[in-house]
Amino acid sequence: MDFIGQKILSETDLLKNDNPHFFKNFISNFNSIASWADIESCLNRPEIFNFELIDKDSNMKIDIPQANKTWVWDHPVQDKGFLFDKINHGHGLVIMNYASYSETTNKLVQTFEKLFDVNAALHVYCGLEGAGSFPIHDDYPVNFIIQIEGKTRWKVFHNRIS
């Protein structure tokens, strides 16, 4: 996959500089990564994708009930009706294994893996206006956050565990 940010990443020594970086227009065609139609497609395939819900009031994870489905015999899947209901009521959604969604998302992850010699993952955080988000926390892995739609007020702290 070719994207504007690939040149920026290869020319920026991020391996030795763990300060936050902001790259405007990092991906030229962000709709090729995720759209609301893509999100809905994932939600309609709970046998393939894993989801997390974030409570809009407490910002804590919501347990998602599981059920056996007739077409998936070997394991229960997350209840998509419950997921749609919670999203429509303002809770946040995380799609955990989004790299497997399309050739484009898979190639994006492969690009990061080649540039940085890491095992990468791609997650989508989304929700309707005012949706829940995680409270202040540290992440062990380095994160690249790509804002596709809407506005988010980011406050990045010094990473104490990098």
Side-chain angles (χ1 to χ4, degrees):
M1 171 180 195
D2 188 34
F3 60 94
I4 293 171
Q6 187 168 351
K7 185 174 193 279
I8 294 169
L9 291 178
S10 61
E11 293 177 353
T12 306
D13 193 357
L14 298 176
L15 296 175
K16 295 179 184 168
N17 182 352
D18 68 349
N19 292 319
H21 297 275
F22 175 75
F23 304 113
K24 191 170 184 162
N25 300 321
F26 184 73
I27 294 178
S28 55
N29 183 9
F30 54 81
N31 286 322
S32 68
I33 304 296
S35 69
W36 283 109
D38 296 324
I39 303 306
E40 184 175 3
S41 177
C42 292
L43 283 165
N44 280 307
R45 298 190 293 168
E47 68 279 3
I48 297 172
F49 294 96
N50 297 314
F51 306 98
E52 290 183 351
L53 286 169
I54 307 167
D55 185 272
K56 66 180 179 180
D57 298 316
S58 69
N59 294 330
M60 302 303 288
K61 290 181 185 177
I62 298 172
D63 290 330
I64 303 169
Q66 296 192 347
N68 288 320
K69 300 292 182 192
T70 18
W71 66 91
V72 183
W73 298 102
D74 58 343
H75 66 278
V77 298
Q78 293 173 309
D79 184 326
K80 75 176 185 178
F82 181 85
L83 289 163
F84 274 101
D85 181 61
K86 292 296 183 186
I87 294 163
N88 286 328
H89 283 92
H91 301 284
L93 173 71
V94 183
I95 305 173
M96 298 302 294
N97 51 336
Y98 192 71
S100 64
Y101 178 68
S102 70
E103 183 178 340
T104 300
T105 58
N106 189 273
K107 285 183 178 180
L108 178 62
V109 169
Q110 288 177 10
T111 299
F112 277 88
E113 289 179 335
K114 286 178 187 170
L115 283 171
F116 298 106
D117 193 26
V118 296
N119 289 320
L122 179 60
H123 309 300
V124 172
Y125 294 73
C126 59
L128 304 176
E129 188 173 336
S133 183
F134 290 117
I136 295 172
H137 65 282
D138 288 325
D139 286 327
Y140 284 100
V142 172
N143 291 297
F144 285 89
I145 301 168
I146 302 168
Q147 178 96 23
I148 292 179
E149 182 178 299
K151 294 181 180 180
T152 303
R153 184 171 183 256
W154 295 96
K155 187 169 186 178
V156 180
F157 298 90
H158 176 71
N159 188 350
R160 298 176 300 226
I161 58 175
S162 70

